[in-house]
Amino acid sequence: MNPVTGVVVFIIIWWLTLFMVLPWGISRTENPEAGHDPGAPARPMVVRKLLITTGLTLVLFGILMAV
């Protein structure tokens, strides 16, 4: 696989994985303050989700490269 193609495939897998990981562990705020969105997550844990996304992407990309 061409290196540029590999990077593009990695980025596509990363974005798809990110959108699958984002809803994990989301809970709504029970008593939102006035002016806050009642559907906003209490603790989004974005950094943890980005690390999980990167790890899963590395595994999936490794499987793709092996095939």
Side-chain angles (χ1 to χ4, degrees):
M1 181 183 299
N2 184 359
V4 175
T5 306
V7 170
V8 170
V9 169
F10 184 86
I11 291 170
I12 290 171
I13 294 172
W14 192 88
W15 276 105
L16 290 173
T17 307
L18 176 67
F19 288 128
M20 289 187 274
V21 170
L22 279 177
W24 293 1
I26 293 295
S27 60
R28 293 174 59 177
T29 305
E30 302 240 351
N31 296 320
E33 297 178 18
H36 289 227
D37 184 11
R43 295 186 54 205
M45 300 178 287
V46 175
V47 174
R48 178 182 291 172
K49 291 178 184 182
L50 292 176
L51 293 173
I52 291 170
T53 299
T54 303
L56 287 173
T57 303
L58 287 172
V59 170
L60 293 171
F61 187 73
I63 292 170
L64 179 69
M65 290 300 291
V67 170

